Amino acid sequence: MPLTIRKYVQHLVCALTLVTVNMAVKAQEKRIISTPAKLLADIHTYRDKYPGSSLQVMIPAGTYYAEKPLEITPEDVRGLKAVTIQGAGANATVISGGAMIKATFLPWKNGIYVAKVAIPFEFDQLYVNNEAQVRARYPNYDSSATHYHGYAADAVSKARIASWKDPAGGYIHALHKAEWGGYHYLIQGVNEDTTLQLAGGYQNNRQMGMHSSIRFVENIFEELDTAREWYYDKHQQQLYYKPAPEVNPAKASLVVSKHQGLIILKGSAEAPLSHVTIRDIRFTQCRSSFMDTKEPLLRSDWAIYRGGVVLLDGTRNCVIRDCDFDNNGGNTIFLSNYNKLDTIAGNHIYNNGASGICFAGNADAVRAPLFEYNQSQSFSTIDTVAGPKTNHFPDSCLVNDNLIHDIGQIEKQIAGVQLSMSAHITVAHNSIYNLPRAGINVSEGTWGGHIIEYNDVFNTVLETGDHGSFNSWGRDRWWYPDRKEMDSIAAVHPWLVKQDAMYTNIIRNNRFRCDHGWDIDLDDGSSNYEIYNNVCLHGGLKLREGFGRKVYNNIIINNSFHPHVWFKNSGDEFRENIVMTGYKPIGIKYWGRQIDHNFFPDSIALASARAAGTDAHSSYGDPGFKAPATGDYTVTNAAVFTTGFRNIDMYSFGVIAPRLKRIAARPVFPALIAEKEKDKGKTFQWKSGVFKNIVTLGERSATGMADNNGVLVIKAPSPAMGLQENDVILELNHLPIKNITTLEEALDKVSGKFVLKVFRGQKAVTL
């Protein structure tokens, strides 16, 4: 038989087989119409009536106010091949976590109305005509403010506290002192000295207390003073509300938030819930969970709440697709403990209170787990077996084509996509922007194998500090807060690094922009990464202490490579990249396996690198980007290709679904600058030591300082002094040392012995 005829017959047989299979599948599919209230009962009916079938449950267009969260277990779908719960479209079928209320408002005073309303549950959001209102707060809501939509240092001043009759039930929201997230406190009462009785403050895993000025208070009656604000007196059952001029409270529809979550897909590792799909539904108006954010993750800054609008716990082959999530107070989608082969795709997540999509395994899967940054354990006590102890963690899941923006409205220790105690998670083609912290965050090395690709991540780290658009830590069982101990372990037992970070994390073909940190930030021990084909638009690329990082074929616009405090024999590589300033090393005594074949902006930057012992085969010049003003950094200068660099596809970043791509924003593309390498920090020499002001974000990050106050030790003076390189001098004879000038002034007053307070190894030490 001629080849062409043979191929035709093969195709015909395949087509007929496919038709037969499809007909069989269609015959097994059962479609029913239901509502959220009847859904479980209807599934049970058809489960028993049509065992072995695939059930499609259609929820018609309309708004449904959930009486309680819908929990689906393996028993609920017993005998069914698959279950799809499908709305008429994300803008048509709406499931609300709120409850409608009726109120007869009467004028009170100063434009405020009051209504007698009995609401038998806690709520923290009021929606008037489907628009979120503002719980009474100080300072007043300001959409243009940089933090918390408005903050003030005097939010909890004694004078303001004295003006409150009964603030119990109010809240303080404050940034972490070092800007590593936020804290939340419930006000329980007032002491005789006009200080507050508080509960909470556990939401950050590195306790340092609240920021001195970035904070606000809410749910305090006396602060109800402007349009759109409200306050509910639950003891008197009185709802106070000051409407905007265009709102008639007598005719307005009212909804208050009731539930923290709406869908729970619940199985176990031993008996997972499988093949359940949720699609084409809008989920909205769930209440916040900031006071439930208590569980510490492994030695990261994070504490979490294992919940969301949709919670998956013990699932396999489940799907959340083409849904909208907006105006919810907590996490959006949370995959907790065992979850395998799940897909989160095509969703629009916005205007939410906490994180977008979270993956967090159970700590019982981790060998030798530690939970706080300063905890450590001796090598002799460590379980040194590779990999997890149990399978109670997310594995081989997909986060694809999601639009995530304007989240973290309440909680600040959040991410667009958060990965912790997970393996082989693919995060692809997502657009993530306008959020207070990292767009994509990897909390530790357990257990790696993640693929981060084709994402567009920008306008990140807007309210916090010392992070990146992509951010990671690697504080695994080999890692110590004491650098000397870490050096020793890493030298004697280098294999221990990959006992947790077993599989290589790949970051490729992404576009990142971070104006308040690094575009890509691999912090504290992040190890076993391969990073290539990324476009970094502003903050550069940082690698702090870790092992086995391969970074190649990236474009770093208006910035450079930031290597921080590397180990000896780290095995790190930085090659075939384009940088636009000289490198920014901090505390580098050892370079990795290969730092070479890179392209610099000018001969000065290249000469500086060579003087440090790197880049013998690198070159310099103008890359000749094709159209940088519109984000096309295709290289046209052939000289760049002699380094080994190859052009990157500039048109594959972010979401691809037409409905999402139409509305997705794009980053601002910066004007290219010519870097003039200047050290802006004033230096000072004393007793053979060299000191300087803390100027850059890199210096602040490398030392772990919360701000730029203090003097950095560049070269330690005589050993008798007790100072070490990278110490930060905070006090001399109890006088605060903010910079070189104050250090010089303090030294002028010294005669004989003196006391130094320094910041070393993430804590204050007295010498």
Side-chain angles (χ1 to χ4, degrees):
M1 184 182 295
L3 182 61
T4 53
I5 299 176
R6 186 184 308 148
K7 281 188 175 181
Y8 174 77
V9 171
Q10 289 173 344
H11 290 163
L12 184 61
V13 170
C14 288
L16 290 172
T17 303
L18 186 60
V19 169
T20 303
V21 169
N22 284 339
M23 289 175 65
V25 170
K26 290 290 183 184
Q28 293 178 358
E29 283 186 350
K30 302 297 177 184
R31 177 179 292 190
I32 64 172
I33 297 175
S34 187
T35 64
K38 296 173 53 186
L39 192 140
L40 270 186
D42 288 340
I43 289 176
H44 292 169
T45 297
Y46 283 84
R47 170 196 70 186
D48 299 332
K49 190 174 182 179
Y50 299 109
S53 66
S54 294
L55 185 63
Q56 188 174 33
V57 184
M58 304 297 298
I59 303 177
T63 299
Y64 303 87
Y65 295 94
E67 283 298 313
K68 61 181 181 179
L70 173 65
E71 180 171 335
I72 302 175
T73 68
E75 175 61 22
D76 293 315
V77 298
R78 172 177 41 83
L80 292 171
K81 188 175 181 180
V83 173
T84 298
I85 300 169
Q86 182 166 353
N91 291 317
T93 299
V94 180
I95 300 180
S96 169
M100 295 190 75
I101 62 171
K102 292 183 179 181
T104 302
F105 281 107
L106 299 173
W108 188 59
K109 62 181 180 180
N110 299 326
I112 299 171
Y113 289 75
V114 65
K116 185 79 172 179
V117 187
I119 303 176
F121 51 82
E122 294 290 329
F123 68 98
D124 60 5
Q125 298 292 328
L126 171 67
Y127 300 89
V128 176
N129 298 333
N130 283 321
E131 292 290 331
Q133 306 301 292
V134 178
R135 189 153 63 166
R137 55 170 283 167
Y138 175 81
N140 289 332
Y141 183 95
D142 177 1
S143 61
S144 65
T146 56
H147 296 72
Y148 287 119
H149 302 297
Y151 65 91
D154 69 340
V156 289
S157 67
K158 287 194 173 185
R160 184 158 293 278
I161 293 170
S163 71
W164 303 333
K165 182 179 178 181
D166 180 14
Y171 293 95
I172 303 171
H173 304 280
L175 215 59
H176 183 280
K177 185 176 181 181
E179 301 179 5
W180 292 338
Y183 292 115
H184 311 274
Y185 302 86
L186 171 66
I187 300 172
Q188 296 179 312
V190 182
N191 298 311
E192 290 185 1
D193 63 353
T194 324
T195 58
L196 294 172
Q197 299 167 9
L198 301 174
Y202 38 65
Q203 293 87 356
N204 195 285
N205 197 23
R206 293 184 69 181
Q207 289 291 310
M208 292 185 182
M210 71 173 78
H211 198 279
S212 61
S213 60
I214 303 177
R215 55 230 188 149
F216 79 99
V217 293
E218 70 168 347
N219 201 36
I220 294 174
F221 182 55
E222 287 80 6
E223 302 301 346
L224 200 171
D225 60 359
T226 192
R228 298 179 59 241
E229 285 194 341
W230 63 273
Y231 175 82
Y232 182 64
D233 183 338
K234 63 182 179 181
H235 301 295
Q236 300 298 320
Q237 297 184 334
Q238 301 271 39
L239 177 61
Y240 295 87
Y241 175 52
K242 187 169 185 175
E246 67 275 9
V247 174
N248 181 351
K251 297 182 179 180
S253 67
L254 305 176
V255 174
V256 295
S257 56
K258 182 179 181 181
H259 305 297
Q260 287 181 332
L262 288 168
I263 302 284
I264 301 170
L265 304 183
K266 178 64 174 174
S268 66
E270 297 71 30
L273 175 67
S274 300
H275 296 98
V276 174
T277 296
I278 311 290
R279 64 179 305 162
D280 296 319
I281 300 172
R282 178 187 170 208
F283 298 93
T284 186
Q285 299 174 336
C286 288
R287 65 184 176 89
S288 63
S289 54
F290 56 82
M291 292 304 291
D292 295 314
T293 301
K294 298 179 179 181
E295 180 187 339
L297 293 179
L298 303 181
R299 289 209 288 187
S300 74
D301 303 340
W302 278 63
I304 61 162
Y305 165 61
R306 288 182 184 266
V309 179
V310 175
L311 172 65
L312 294 87
D313 188 345
T315 67
R316 187 179 177 96
N317 289 111
C318 289
V319 179
I320 311 298
R321 181 183 293 279
D322 299 333
C323 293
D324 281 9
F325 299 85
D326 68 281
N327 288 290
N328 297 295
N331 300 318
T332 304
I333 300 172
F334 203 110
L335 293 91
S336 177
N337 302 314
Y338 174 89
N339 293 279
K340 192 159 187 175
L341 299 170
D342 292 335
T343 297
I344 313 297
N347 302 290
H348 187 190
I349 298 169
Y350 62 105
N351 290 345
N352 287 344
S355 287
I357 302 168
C358 296
F359 293 80
N362 194 307
D364 71 8
V366 182
R367 299 181 187 278
L370 294 174
F371 294 92
E372 204 279 328
Y373 178 91
N374 290 299
Q375 289 181 325
S376 61
Q377 52 196 334
S378 65
F379 177 78
S380 62
T381 65
I382 296 176
D383 177 350
T384 60
V385 176
K389 291 168 64 177
T390 72
N391 63 347
H392 301 162
F393 60 90
D395 185 5
S396 303
C397 297
L398 174 64
V399 178
N400 183 64
D401 197 18
N402 299 281
L403 176 56
I404 305 171
H405 62 92
D406 295 280
I407 63 173
Q409 300 288 311
I410 304 169
E411 300 185 50
K412 303 306 174 186
Q413 188 73 290
I414 65 98
V417 179
Q418 158 74 348
L419 306 178
S420 176
M421 295 175 281
S422 303
H424 306 294
I425 308 300
T426 297
V427 181
H429 281 293
N430 303 283
S431 291
I432 305 172
Y433 53 88
N434 294 353
L435 64 168
R437 211 171 174 286
I440 301 171
N441 190 77
V442 177
S443 276
E444 71 290 303
T446 51
W447 287 271
H450 309 310
I451 297 176
I452 314 295
E453 62 182 0
Y454 297 108
N455 300 286
D456 200 9
V457 187
F458 56 97
N459 283 13
T460 61
V461 196
L462 295 179
E463 298 181 62
T464 58
D466 197 8
H467 310 300
S469 284
F470 173 87
N471 190 84
S472 69
W473 298 287
R475 299 168 187 158
D476 304 318
R477 61 183 122 162
W478 66 272
W479 191 88
Y480 284 76
D482 183 283
R483 178 55 192 258
K484 287 186 177 179
E485 188 75 27
M486 203 160 35
D487 281 334
S488 174
I489 291 292
V492 178
H493 307 291
W495 51 270
L496 192 57
V497 173
K498 289 190 177 181
Q499 301 304 88
D500 284 316
M502 298 177 66
Y503 308 108
T504 302
N505 289 326
I506 295 175
I507 305 175
R508 64 188 178 196
N509 302 299
N510 302 281
R511 182 167 63 192
F512 296 109
R513 175 165 183 166
C514 186
D515 287 32
H516 305 91
W518 292 271
D519 297 329
I520 299 176
D521 182 1
L522 270 62
D523 211 351
D524 290 1
S526 297
S527 298
N528 198 7
Y529 277 77
E530 191 168 354
I531 303 172
Y532 61 93
N533 288 8
N534 300 285
V535 177
C536 298
L537 292 176
H538 189 276
L541 187 151
K542 168 187 159 191
L543 301 182
R544 183 174 167 130
E545 54 190 26
F547 290 86
R549 284 84 61 96
K550 297 179 181 178
V551 181
Y552 59 93
N553 215 80
N554 302 280
I555 297 173
I556 302 177
I557 300 297
N558 291 351
N559 211 307
S560 194
F561 177 39
H562 296 249
H564 290 186
V565 290
W566 282 10
F567 294 104
K568 189 176 183 179
N569 301 320
S570 68
D572 289 336
E573 300 177 12
F574 185 81
R575 54 182 171 80
E576 299 157 19
N577 302 284
I578 297 173
V579 298
M580 294 187 68
T581 76
Y583 296 159
K584 313 284 187 183
I586 292 179
I588 294 294
K589 296 180 179 178
Y590 315 104
W591 291 99
R593 177 178 293 140
Q594 184 182 27
I595 314 296
D596 205 354
H597 299 283
N598 298 296
F599 198 79
F600 288 81
D602 52 46
S603 60
I604 298 173
L606 177 56
S608 177
R610 286 178 174 169
T614 66
D615 291 280
H617 303 94
S618 296
S619 56
Y620 68 90
D622 182 354
F625 295 132
K626 186 175 180 180
T630 59
D632 188 343
Y633 299 99
T634 301
V635 171
T636 62
N637 183 355
V640 179
F641 304 131
T642 63
T643 65
F645 178 88
R646 294 294 176 264
N647 270 321
I648 301 169
D649 180 2
M650 297 291 163
Y651 297 97
S652 297
F653 308 118
V655 291
I656 53 181
R659 86 174 186 105
L660 300 178
K661 198 164 187 174
R662 268 194 310 272
I663 58 176
R666 301 176 72 205
V668 174
F669 302 113
L672 302 184
I673 61 168
E675 168 74 357
K676 304 296 183 183
E677 290 287 301
K678 294 180 179 178
D679 180 9
K680 299 178 182 178
K682 179 182 177 182
T683 60
F684 170 61
Q685 295 188 10
W686 178 66
K687 290 190 180 296
S688 74
V690 180
F691 308 82
K692 75 182 294 293
N693 294 327
I694 297 176
V695 176
T696 68
L697 184 62
E699 290 166 343
R700 178 174 157 183
S701 175
T703 57
M705 288 290 291
D707 51 39
N708 286 4
N709 290 326
V711 170
L712 178 63
V713 180
I714 299 297
K715 178 185 176 184
S718 63
M721 193 75 66
L723 285 169
Q724 299 178 9
E725 181 181 319
N726 236 35
D727 281 349
V728 179
I729 300 174
L730 303 175
E731 294 180 4
L732 192 154
N733 282 347
H734 309 293
L735 293 174
I737 303 300
K738 294 186 176 182
N739 49 39
I740 290 294
T741 301
T742 55
L743 176 61
E744 290 179 293
E745 292 171 351
L747 287 171
D748 286 341
K749 301 175 183 178
V750 167
S751 60
K753 293 183 178 181
F754 55 89
V755 177
L756 282 175
K757 183 178 179 182
V758 303
F759 197 70
R760 175 188 297 169
Q762 307 284 331
K763 60 184 178 181
V765 177
T766 300
L767 306 177

